[in-house]
Amino acid sequence: MTKIMVFGTFDMIHAGHEDLFHQARALADDPYLVVSLARDESVARIKGAIPRHSESERLAAIQAHPLVDRALLGDSSGYIDHIKTIAPEIIALGYDQNGEYVQDLERDLRAVGLMTRVVRLAPYKPEEFKTSKLLS
């Protein structure tokens, strides 16, 4: 079993997210997909607004998704603690993920003793399937 971890807000699950899950699972012959959902307060800080759906609602939706083996809420502050607990072999980042959690990710992983491979996934119709566009 190869643990692959992805991150996101997942305020709604759309075809772009489905493709993200498929791409992440395709990174290993024996994938175990772990989805980390951003906490409401983290989303508010990073995106400037809280999600339309609460973290408990978003978590329930992701937990029920057939491509997801495990879903959990991210850390309330920082991000490395729950990654260290899961110890994924691969972290798959979405094409548009950047900022505070991404820029130092590989350095921070090594600092806690993880040799996790970080992979950037390809976009899937980003002009059509982007949550901010679909919810506006």
Side-chain angles (χ1 to χ4, degrees), residues 53-64:
H53 299 97
S54 72
E55 59 191 36
S56 60
E57 291 171 318
R58 294 182 289 119
L59 181 61
I62 291 293
Q63 286 173 327

Side-chain angles (χ1 to χ4, degrees), residues 10-106:
F10 303 104
D11 206 8
M12 63 182 298
I13 301 171
H14 54 65
H17 294 138
E18 294 269 339
D19 186 71
L20 175 96
F21 298 158
H22 281 291
Q23 283 189 62
R25 292 184 71 82
L27 295 171
D29 291 333
D30 57 347
Y32 182 83
L33 184 61
V34 179
V35 177
S36 172
L37 276 87
R39 304 299 298 253
D40 289 344
E41 62 267 21
S42 298
V43 175
R45 187 180 72 252
I46 293 166
K47 295 186 177 185
I50 61 168
R52 288 187 182 196
H53 299 97
S54 72
E55 59 191 36
S56 60
E57 291 171 318
R58 294 182 289 119
L59 181 61
I62 291 293
Q63 286 173 327
H65 197 284
L67 293 173
V68 175
D69 296 299
R70 180 173 178 193
L72 63 135
L73 292 171
D75 297 324
S76 293
S77 62
Y79 66 95
I80 204 72
D81 289 341
H82 80 295
I83 297 173
K84 186 176 178 182
T85 299
I86 298 298
E89 284 81 16
I90 302 169
I91 288 179
L93 297 174
Y95 77 95
D96 62 345
Q97 289 181 303
N98 53 45
E100 65 183 275
Y101 296 133
V102 175
Q103 64 190 16
D104 298 322
L105 178 59
E106 291 188 60

